[in-house]
């Protein structure tokens, strides 16, 4: 087993960098954690619904942390028409991101996926990616709760793919065995991101620790095993999207903590630890650098990082933000980063 691992800076194709003072903390920490290119999510306040707003946000991020390469997304909602999608493509925006109403942080826009058909058709023609937060809203009458909300959404994924077979779709943060088996039957235009925390956690964790709580929630040990198996298998349609989603400590306290797990500052050593434990360290470079780039049609990742097999302690807090597994040790350390 190697004691040193050198790889390109990571492509983290699902991050929440936040805005204003919080972004000023989070963007530099994202670089420090080993990422080089990031797909930035649009669930700000207010949500990013116009090309102008996305470009202004990108400029603000570049001013904060110019070393990161920012790939941008815009909210997919029924008001996004064909000409807006064309304008987004012309501006270099890569992803239309759809959130189901009210299921997660700042998901206040309304509109079902079928109401977004014009934008999806345009995205298919323009080569943009549609990226889905795939959860059905909680509905006690239908027996839909946090544990089965992803499974309940899967028919909508299948329907979207059948209607737009050439449209590139990313099923973000897959968490369930049901999602993995549904994806197995879909074509090569449908991919999924997997987060480090869903390879690590189960429902036992978030029920007792708000810093392990995110949407979609970590599920059963069998679900986690399905995610681990697909990552170890080398399936090219699965790649890294950390869904690192920091919240101020106060928002994570109390009975109803905000959903979101903060991993950006520890991303590379956390992934090395997880892949090492799973016995599939050889899959890490493809998972975190080449497969996502291939699906997104990006040039090879730039820069190098180097990881050493020696313990590193996850800080108890970083500028008041609490990372996953704060205070615990990882088996790997991220060495001095080359630019
Ligand atoms: C994300 C956030 O806080 O922005 N939270 C989360 O639990 N994952 C939003 C999201 O991706 O669902
Ligand atoms: Zn997210």
């Amino acid at each position: 087993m190697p004691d040193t691992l050198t790889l390109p800076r990571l492509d983290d194709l699902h991050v929440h960098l936040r805005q204003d003072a919080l972004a000023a903390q989070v963007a530099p920490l994202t670089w420090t954690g080993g990422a080089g290119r990031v797909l930035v999510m649009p669930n700000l306040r207010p949500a990013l619904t116009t090309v102008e707003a996305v470009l202004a946000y990108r400029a603000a991020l570049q001013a904060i942390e110019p070393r990161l390469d920012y790939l941008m997304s815009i909210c997919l909602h029924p008001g996004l028409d064909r000409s807006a999608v064309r304008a987004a493509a012309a501006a270099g925006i890569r992803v239309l991101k759809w959130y189901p109403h009210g299921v997660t942080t700042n998901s206040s826009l309304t509109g079902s996926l079928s109401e977004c058909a014009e934008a999806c058709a345009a995205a298919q023609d323009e080569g943009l990616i549609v990226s889905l937060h795939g959860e059905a809203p909680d509905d006690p009458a239908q027996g839909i709760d946090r544990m089965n909300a992803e499974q309940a959404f899967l028919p909508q994924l299948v329907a979207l793919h059948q209607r737009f077979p050439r449209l590139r779709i990313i099923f973000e943060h897959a968490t369930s065995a049901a999602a993995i088996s549904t994806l197995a039957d879909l074509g090569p235009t449908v991919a999924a991101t997997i987060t480090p925390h869903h390879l690590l956690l189960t429902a036992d964790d978030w029920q007792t620790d708000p810093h392990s709580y995110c949407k979609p929630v970590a599920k059963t040990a069998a679900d986690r095993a399905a995610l681990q198996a697909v990552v170890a298998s080398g399936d090219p349609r699965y790649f890294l999207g950390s869904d690192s989603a920091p919240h101020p400590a106060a928002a994570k306290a109390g009975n109803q903590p905000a959903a979101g797990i903060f991993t950006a500052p520890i991303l590379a050593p956390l992934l090395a630890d997880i892949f090492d434990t799973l016995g599939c360290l050889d899959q890490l470079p493809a998972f975190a650098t080449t497969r996502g780039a291939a699906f997104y049609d990006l040039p090879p990742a730039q820069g190098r990082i180097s990881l050493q097999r020696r313990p590193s302690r996850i800080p108890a807090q970083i500028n008041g933000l609490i990372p996953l597994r704060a205070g615990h040790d990882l088996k790997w350390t991220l060495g001095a980063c080359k630019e």
Side-chain angles (χ1 to χ4, degrees), residues 271-307:
L271 285 166
D273 185 293
I274 292 169
F275 277 65
D276 195 3
T277 303
L278 295 176
C280 61
L281 210 46
D282 58 323
Q283 290 294 332
L284 181 57
F287 176 75
T289 69
T290 54
R291 286 187 206 138
F295 192 80
Y296 269 77
D297 237 345
L298 301 172
Q302 300 291 308
R304 307 296 288 174
I305 54 171
S306 165
L307 289 147

Short mmCIF file of all heavy atoms in Angstrom, two decimals, residues 271-307:
data_model
loop_
_atom_site.label_atom_id
_atom_site.label_comp_id
_atom_site.label_asym_id
_atom_site.label_seq_id
_atom_site.Cartn_x
_atom_site.Cartn_y
_atom_site.Cartn_z
N LEU A 271 -11.28 11.98 2.16
CA LEU A 271 -11.51 11.00 1.09
C LEU A 271 -10.46 9.90 1.11
O LEU A 271 -10.77 8.72 0.92
CB LEU A 271 -11.52 11.69 -0.27
CG LEU A 271 -12.77 12.49 -0.60
CD1 LEU A 271 -12.52 13.39 -1.80
CD2 LEU A 271 -13.96 11.56 -0.87
N ALA A 272 -9.20 10.29 1.34
CA ALA A 272 -8.13 9.28 1.38
C ALA A 272 -8.39 8.30 2.53
O ALA A 272 -8.25 7.07 2.36
CB ALA A 272 -6.77 9.96 1.55
N ASP A 273 -8.80 8.83 3.67
CA ASP A 273 -9.12 7.98 4.83
C ASP A 273 -10.23 6.99 4.47
O ASP A 273 -10.13 5.78 4.71
CB ASP A 273 -9.52 8.89 5.99
CG ASP A 273 -9.75 8.12 7.27
OD1 ASP A 273 -10.73 7.34 7.32
OD2 ASP A 273 -8.97 8.30 8.24
N ILE A 274 -11.29 7.51 3.87
CA ILE A 274 -12.46 6.66 3.56
C ILE A 274 -12.09 5.60 2.52
O ILE A 274 -12.38 4.41 2.70
CB ILE A 274 -13.63 7.53 3.04
CG1 ILE A 274 -14.16 8.43 4.17
CG2 ILE A 274 -14.73 6.66 2.47
CD1 ILE A 274 -15.14 9.50 3.70
N PHE A 275 -11.45 6.01 1.44
CA PHE A 275 -11.11 5.06 0.38
C PHE A 275 -10.10 4.02 0.88
O PHE A 275 -10.15 2.86 0.48
CB PHE A 275 -10.62 5.79 -0.88
CG PHE A 275 -11.73 6.30 -1.76
CD1 PHE A 275 -12.60 7.29 -1.31
CD2 PHE A 275 -11.93 5.78 -3.03
CE1 PHE A 275 -13.65 7.75 -2.11
CE2 PHE A 275 -12.97 6.23 -3.85
CZ PHE A 275 -13.82 7.22 -3.38
N ASP A 276 -9.18 4.46 1.72
CA ASP A 276 -8.21 3.54 2.31
C ASP A 276 -8.94 2.49 3.16
O ASP A 276 -8.73 1.27 3.01
CB ASP A 276 -7.24 4.36 3.18
CG ASP A 276 -6.00 3.59 3.56
OD1 ASP A 276 -5.85 2.44 3.11
OD2 ASP A 276 -5.17 4.14 4.31
N THR A 277 -9.83 2.95 4.02
CA THR A 277 -10.59 2.03 4.88
C THR A 277 -11.41 1.05 4.04
O THR A 277 -11.56 -0.12 4.39
CB THR A 277 -11.50 2.83 5.83
OG1 THR A 277 -10.69 3.73 6.57
CG2 THR A 277 -12.27 1.93 6.77
N LEU A 278 -11.95 1.53 2.94
CA LEU A 278 -12.75 0.66 2.07
C LEU A 278 -11.89 -0.25 1.21
O LEU A 278 -12.41 -1.11 0.49
CB LEU A 278 -13.66 1.50 1.15
CG LEU A 278 -14.75 2.33 1.85
CD1 LEU A 278 -15.51 3.18 0.82
CD2 LEU A 278 -15.72 1.40 2.58
N GLY A 279 -10.57 -0.03 1.22
CA GLY A 279 -9.67 -0.87 0.42
C GLY A 279 -9.71 -0.53 -1.06
O GLY A 279 -9.42 -1.39 -1.91
N CYS A 280 -10.08 0.70 -1.40
CA CYS A 280 -10.15 1.06 -2.83
C CYS A 280 -9.47 2.40 -3.10
O CYS A 280 -9.96 3.18 -3.91
CB CYS A 280 -11.58 1.05 -3.33
SG CYS A 280 -12.66 2.21 -2.51
N LEU A 281 -8.33 2.60 -2.43
CA LEU A 281 -7.56 3.83 -2.63
C LEU A 281 -7.22 4.04 -4.12
O LEU A 281 -7.13 5.18 -4.58
CB LEU A 281 -6.28 3.72 -1.81
CG LEU A 281 -5.64 4.97 -1.25
CD1 LEU A 281 -6.63 5.90 -0.59
CD2 LEU A 281 -4.54 4.56 -0.27
N ASP A 282 -7.06 2.94 -4.85
CA ASP A 282 -6.73 3.06 -6.27
C ASP A 282 -7.84 3.75 -7.07
O ASP A 282 -7.59 4.27 -8.15
CB ASP A 282 -6.44 1.66 -6.87
CG ASP A 282 -7.63 0.72 -6.70
OD1 ASP A 282 -8.31 0.79 -5.65
OD2 ASP A 282 -7.89 -0.07 -7.63
N GLN A 283 -9.05 3.76 -6.53
CA GLN A 283 -10.17 4.39 -7.24
C GLN A 283 -10.28 5.90 -6.96
O GLN A 283 -11.04 6.60 -7.62
CB GLN A 283 -11.50 3.73 -6.84
CG GLN A 283 -11.67 2.33 -7.37
CD GLN A 283 -11.76 2.30 -8.89
OE1 GLN A 283 -12.21 3.26 -9.52
NE2 GLN A 283 -11.31 1.22 -9.49
N LEU A 284 -9.52 6.38 -5.97
CA LEU A 284 -9.71 7.78 -5.56
C LEU A 284 -9.40 8.79 -6.67
O LEU A 284 -10.19 9.71 -6.90
CB LEU A 284 -8.89 8.08 -4.29
CG LEU A 284 -9.02 9.50 -3.76
CD1 LEU A 284 -10.48 9.87 -3.47
CD2 LEU A 284 -8.18 9.68 -2.49
N PRO A 285 -8.28 8.63 -7.40
CA PRO A 285 -8.01 9.65 -8.44
C PRO A 285 -9.11 9.74 -9.49
O PRO A 285 -9.52 10.84 -9.87
CB PRO A 285 -6.68 9.17 -9.06
CG PRO A 285 -6.04 8.36 -7.97
CD PRO A 285 -7.16 7.68 -7.26
N ALA A 286 -9.63 8.60 -9.92
CA ALA A 286 -10.69 8.65 -10.94
C ALA A 286 -11.96 9.25 -10.34
O ALA A 286 -12.62 10.09 -10.96
CB ALA A 286 -10.97 7.26 -11.49
N PHE A 287 -12.31 8.83 -9.13
CA PHE A 287 -13.53 9.33 -8.49
C PHE A 287 -13.48 10.85 -8.30
O PHE A 287 -14.47 11.55 -8.50
CB PHE A 287 -13.70 8.63 -7.13
CG PHE A 287 -14.88 9.12 -6.33
CD1 PHE A 287 -16.17 8.75 -6.68
CD2 PHE A 287 -14.69 9.95 -5.23
CE1 PHE A 287 -17.27 9.20 -5.93
CE2 PHE A 287 -15.79 10.41 -4.49
CZ PHE A 287 -17.07 10.03 -4.84
N ALA A 288 -12.31 11.34 -7.90
CA ALA A 288 -12.23 12.75 -7.48
C ALA A 288 -11.61 13.66 -8.53
O ALA A 288 -11.56 14.88 -8.30
CB ALA A 288 -11.42 12.84 -6.18
N THR A 289 -11.15 13.10 -9.64
CA THR A 289 -10.56 14.00 -10.64
C THR A 289 -10.97 13.71 -12.09
O THR A 289 -11.26 14.65 -12.82
CB THR A 289 -9.02 14.05 -10.59
OG1 THR A 289 -8.48 12.81 -11.01
CG2 THR A 289 -8.50 14.37 -9.20
N THR A 290 -11.01 12.47 -12.52
CA THR A 290 -11.19 12.30 -13.98
C THR A 290 -12.63 12.01 -14.42
O THR A 290 -13.05 12.45 -15.48
CB THR A 290 -10.28 11.20 -14.55
OG1 THR A 290 -10.49 9.99 -13.82
CG2 THR A 290 -8.82 11.59 -14.46
N ARG A 291 -13.38 11.30 -13.57
CA ARG A 291 -14.72 10.91 -14.04
C ARG A 291 -15.67 12.09 -14.12
O ARG A 291 -16.46 12.19 -15.07
CB ARG A 291 -15.32 9.87 -13.09
CG ARG A 291 -14.68 8.55 -13.24
CD ARG A 291 -15.43 7.54 -12.40
NE ARG A 291 -14.52 6.49 -12.06
CZ ARG A 291 -14.44 5.92 -10.88
NH1 ARG A 291 -15.24 6.30 -9.89
NH2 ARG A 291 -13.57 4.97 -10.68
N GLY A 292 -15.63 12.95 -13.16
CA GLY A 292 -16.50 14.12 -13.19
C GLY A 292 -16.13 15.01 -14.36
O GLY A 292 -17.00 15.51 -15.09
N ALA A 293 -14.83 15.18 -14.56
CA ALA A 293 -14.37 16.01 -15.67
C ALA A 293 -14.85 15.45 -17.00
O ALA A 293 -15.25 16.20 -17.90
CB ALA A 293 -12.84 16.13 -15.65
N ALA A 294 -14.83 14.12 -17.13
CA ALA A 294 -15.28 13.51 -18.38
C ALA A 294 -16.77 13.78 -18.59
O ALA A 294 -17.19 14.15 -19.68
CB ALA A 294 -15.00 12.01 -18.36
N PHE A 295 -17.57 13.63 -17.55
CA PHE A 295 -19.01 13.85 -17.71
C PHE A 295 -19.30 15.32 -18.02
O PHE A 295 -20.17 15.64 -18.83
CB PHE A 295 -19.77 13.41 -16.45
CG PHE A 295 -21.26 13.34 -16.65
CD1 PHE A 295 -21.84 12.25 -17.28
CD2 PHE A 295 -22.07 14.39 -16.25
CE1 PHE A 295 -23.22 12.20 -17.49
CE2 PHE A 295 -23.46 14.35 -16.45
CZ PHE A 295 -24.02 13.24 -17.07
N TYR A 296 -18.55 16.21 -17.37
CA TYR A 296 -18.76 17.65 -17.58
C TYR A 296 -18.07 18.16 -18.85
O TYR A 296 -18.25 19.31 -19.22
CB TYR A 296 -18.19 18.44 -16.39
CG TYR A 296 -19.18 18.72 -15.28
CD1 TYR A 296 -19.53 17.73 -14.36
CD2 TYR A 296 -19.74 19.97 -15.12
CE1 TYR A 296 -20.41 17.99 -13.33
CE2 TYR A 296 -20.63 20.24 -14.09
CZ TYR A 296 -20.96 19.25 -13.21
OH TYR A 296 -21.84 19.52 -12.19
N ASP A 297 -17.22 17.31 -19.45
CA ASP A 297 -16.49 17.74 -20.64
C ASP A 297 -15.47 18.82 -20.31
O ASP A 297 -15.38 19.85 -20.99
CB ASP A 297 -17.49 18.33 -21.65
CG ASP A 297 -17.39 17.60 -22.96
OD1 ASP A 297 -16.40 16.89 -23.14
OD2 ASP A 297 -18.31 17.77 -23.79
N LEU A 298 -14.72 18.59 -19.25
CA LEU A 298 -13.72 19.57 -18.83
C LEU A 298 -12.33 19.09 -19.23
O LEU A 298 -12.10 17.87 -19.31
CB LEU A 298 -13.73 19.71 -17.30
CG LEU A 298 -15.03 20.15 -16.65
CD1 LEU A 298 -14.92 20.04 -15.14
CD2 LEU A 298 -15.37 21.58 -17.06
N PRO A 299 -11.38 20.00 -19.43
CA PRO A 299 -9.99 19.57 -19.64
C PRO A 299 -9.45 18.93 -18.37
O PRO A 299 -10.05 19.08 -17.30
CB PRO A 299 -9.26 20.88 -19.94
CG PRO A 299 -10.13 21.97 -19.42
CD PRO A 299 -11.55 21.46 -19.45
N PRO A 300 -8.33 18.19 -18.45
CA PRO A 300 -7.79 17.55 -17.25
C PRO A 300 -7.54 18.57 -16.14
O PRO A 300 -7.21 19.73 -16.41
CB PRO A 300 -6.46 16.95 -17.73
CG PRO A 300 -6.63 16.80 -19.20
CD PRO A 300 -7.54 17.91 -19.65
N ALA A 301 -7.73 18.11 -14.89
CA ALA A 301 -7.55 19.01 -13.74
C ALA A 301 -6.10 19.47 -13.66
O ALA A 301 -5.17 18.74 -14.02
CB ALA A 301 -7.94 18.27 -12.46
N GLN A 302 -5.92 20.69 -13.15
CA GLN A 302 -4.58 21.30 -13.01
C GLN A 302 -4.10 21.19 -11.57
O GLN A 302 -4.88 20.97 -10.67
CB GLN A 302 -4.65 22.78 -13.38
CG GLN A 302 -5.11 23.05 -14.80
CD GLN A 302 -4.09 22.60 -15.82
OE1 GLN A 302 -2.92 22.96 -15.73
NE2 GLN A 302 -4.51 21.79 -16.78
N GLY A 303 -2.81 21.44 -11.38
CA GLY A 303 -2.25 21.48 -10.03
C GLY A 303 -2.08 20.10 -9.45
O GLY A 303 -2.59 19.11 -9.98
N ARG A 304 -1.30 19.99 -8.39
CA ARG A 304 -1.08 18.70 -7.74
C ARG A 304 -1.25 18.87 -6.24
O ARG A 304 -0.92 19.92 -5.68
CB ARG A 304 0.37 18.20 -7.95
CG ARG A 304 0.87 18.15 -9.37
CD ARG A 304 0.14 17.18 -10.24
NE ARG A 304 0.42 15.77 -9.96
CZ ARG A 304 -0.23 14.77 -10.57
NH1 ARG A 304 -1.19 15.02 -11.44
NH2 ARG A 304 0.09 13.53 -10.31
N ILE A 305 -1.76 17.82 -5.62
CA ILE A 305 -1.72 17.75 -4.16
C ILE A 305 -1.07 16.43 -3.77
O ILE A 305 -1.06 15.48 -4.56
CB ILE A 305 -3.11 17.85 -3.51
CG1 ILE A 305 -4.06 16.81 -4.10
CG2 ILE A 305 -3.68 19.25 -3.63
CD1 ILE A 305 -5.37 16.70 -3.36
N SER A 306 -0.55 16.42 -2.57
CA SER A 306 0.14 15.23 -2.12
C SER A 306 -0.37 14.87 -0.72
O SER A 306 -0.47 15.73 0.16
CB SER A 306 1.64 15.54 -2.13
OG SER A 306 2.32 14.59 -1.41
N LEU A 307 -0.72 13.61 -0.57
CA LEU A 307 -1.25 13.11 0.71
C LEU A 307 -0.29 12.10 1.30
O LEU A 307 0.26 11.27 0.57
CB LEU A 307 -2.61 12.44 0.48
CG LEU A 307 -3.75 13.39 0.12
CD1 LEU A 307 -4.75 12.73 -0.82
CD2 LEU A 307 -4.46 13.86 1.39
#
